Amino acid sequence: MTKTGSKGGNLRDKLDGNELDLSLSDLNEVPVKELAALPKATILDLSCNKLSTLPSDFCGLTHLVKLDLSKNKLQQLPADFGRLVNLQHLDLLNNRLVTLPVSFAQLKNLKWLDLKDNPLDPVLAKVAGDCLDEKQCKQCANKVLQHMKAVQADQERERQRRLEVEREAEKKREAKQRAKEAQEREVRKREKAEEKERRRKEYDALKASKREQEKKPKKEANQAPKSKSGSRPRKPPPRKQARSWAVLKLLLLLLLLCVGGGLVACRLTALQQQPLCASVNTIYDNAVQGLRRHEILRWVLQADSQQ
């Protein structure tokens, strides 16, 4: 029988009370489904076959009390082998096992164990002992269970330690992230405040500029004399030019007074019969008549009135 396809009827033919003997059956695989259909078979003999592995669903055969897997080619047991909690007798003689799964510590009812002729890990081999007789196999079961419980406890502590390290690392990452977010919020807050201050200064500068522009025309209006309607105020002449113009006007006035005095003397006094006064009177009459006809008189009079 080289396949797992053994029919339930054939297995029942091999069933003797609660013992099922499948040894020397040239098995490469365990017929788990057919075995699961025979919960009455609490004693199972699979020795002297060609089994190199056990399927994970083999651990569902929790009704097993005695199991013989000796003289096979098993290199390891399923990770959840400890589910076989009712197992009391286990023979693993002459296989290729190096270690046992940590769940082995859950086989609390195990009373007998044989691990001889396996390339066991040195520590496990020392714990298991020689197992040369019934007493030593019982001691092997007890010592191996205690050892596997210690291994399980160590692994659990290591797992807890890793979890704690991961939690601490996660807390540090969260704290770092919170600090980063707080720093970013602070930077945004500072940038917002700086932008607000900049805009406020620009607003104040603009208001001040407007006030200066409003004051400037008022100052110019107060300093410059108002001109006639529709005309721009004339700029005051420089001081030096103003003094020269005043001297010139004074000289012209004196000249006019002299000329006027001479004219008055020539026209109203007895001097008008003199040849010089006659000439002056003639020039005056001709000049007056010419000026009256010429527009320059109006310009001179107008300019004089403006001055």
Side-chain angles (χ1 to χ4, degrees):
M1 185 166 54
T2 60
K3 299 181 179 179
T4 60
S6 300
K7 297 182 179 179
N10 295 335
L11 293 183
R12 286 189 179 91
D13 293 340
K14 293 178 178 293
L15 184 62
D16 183 10
N18 64 340
E19 183 176 351
L20 180 61
D21 187 0
L22 297 179
S23 62
L24 300 170
S25 298
D26 200 24
L27 290 174
N28 292 318
E29 299 177 1
V30 180
V32 178
K33 292 183 180 180
E34 289 76 6
L35 292 173
L38 299 173
K40 185 179 179 181
T42 59
I43 300 175
L44 177 61
D45 188 353
L46 290 170
S47 62
C48 301
N49 282 292
K50 298 179 181 180
L51 302 176
S52 59
T53 60
L54 295 177
S56 59
D57 53 355
F58 179 85
C59 303
L61 303 176
T62 56
H63 59 278
L64 293 178
V65 174
K66 183 177 181 179
L67 176 61
D68 190 349
L69 290 168
S70 61
K71 299 180 181 179
N72 277 283
K73 299 178 182 180
L74 295 174
Q75 298 180 6
Q76 62 181 9
L77 299 178
D80 52 353
F81 192 81
R83 289 173 58 193
L84 302 175
V85 291
N86 293 314
L87 201 59
Q88 298 179 15
H89 184 109
L90 178 61
D91 194 343
L92 294 171
L93 170 72
N94 194 8
N95 276 280
R96 300 177 182 177
L97 297 172
V98 178
T99 59
L100 296 175
V102 178
S103 65
F104 201 91
Q106 299 173 13
L107 302 177
K108 298 179 181 180
N109 294 314
L110 189 64
K111 306 299 182 184
W112 193 97
L113 176 63
D114 190 354
L115 287 171
K116 286 193 307 294
D117 299 330
N118 280 284
L120 296 174
D121 175 81
V123 176
L124 181 58
K126 184 177 180 180
V127 172
D130 295 330
C131 198
L132 298 176
D133 54 27
E134 187 77 11
K135 182 180 179 180
Q136 288 183 353
C137 288
K138 288 182 179 180
Q139 290 176 349
C140 176
N142 183 52
K143 290 180 179 180
V144 169
L145 281 178
Q146 295 301 321
H147 172 71
M148 296 310 298
K149 287 179 181 178
V151 171
Q152 186 180 45
D154 291 343
Q155 290 192 359
E156 180 63 22
R157 283 193 294 271
E158 179 63 20
R159 189 181 70 86
Q160 292 295 333
R161 187 190 68 80
R162 288 197 300 267
L163 289 175
E164 185 65 24
V165 170
E166 292 176 358
R167 283 194 291 267
E168 289 297 325
E170 182 64 23
K171 288 180 181 179
K172 289 181 179 180
R173 285 194 296 268
E174 292 177 355
K176 186 176 181 180
Q177 182 65 24
R178 287 194 296 270
K180 182 180 178 181
E181 292 175 355
Q183 185 178 7
E184 290 176 352
R185 287 195 299 270
E186 187 65 25
V187 169
R188 289 195 297 269
K189 184 178 179 180
R190 185 169 61 251
E191 290 177 349
K192 187 176 180 181
E194 291 175 354
E195 176 65 16
K196 184 176 181 180
E197 181 65 18
R198 183 185 64 80
R199 294 174 60 185
R200 186 188 66 78
K201 289 181 178 180
E202 290 179 353
Y203 176 79
D204 292 343
L206 182 61
K207 293 285 289 184
S209 177
K210 287 183 178 180
R211 285 195 296 269
E212 289 296 327
Q213 291 178 358
E214 291 174 356
K215 291 179 180 179
K216 189 175 181 180
K218 293 181 179 180
K219 291 181 179 179
E220 292 178 353
N222 293 334
Q223 292 177 359
K226 293 184 179 180
S227 61
K228 295 182 179 180
S229 59
S231 61
R232 295 182 180 179
R234 288 176 14 182
K235 295 182 180 180
R239 294 182 177 180
K240 187 175 180 180
Q241 185 179 0
R243 287 196 298 268
S244 299
W245 182 248
V247 172
L248 181 60
K249 288 199 295 183
L250 181 60
L251 293 175
L252 290 174
L253 181 60
L254 292 175
L255 180 60
L256 288 175
L257 288 175
C258 293
V259 173
L263 287 174
V264 170
C266 289
R267 294 183 69 87
L268 299 178
T269 63
L271 293 176
Q272 60 182 333
Q273 301 299 327
Q274 296 295 326
L276 180 60
C277 287
S279 299
V280 170
N281 290 331
T282 303
I283 293 171
Y284 174 78
D285 293 337
N286 292 334
V288 170
Q289 292 177 2
L291 290 174
R292 286 177 179 175
R293 292 194 301 267
H294 204 278
E295 292 293 332
I296 192 172
L297 178 60
R298 297 179 183 178
W299 179 82
V300 172
L301 294 175
Q302 184 178 1
D304 184 65
S305 63
Q306 289 179 353
Q307 292 175 358

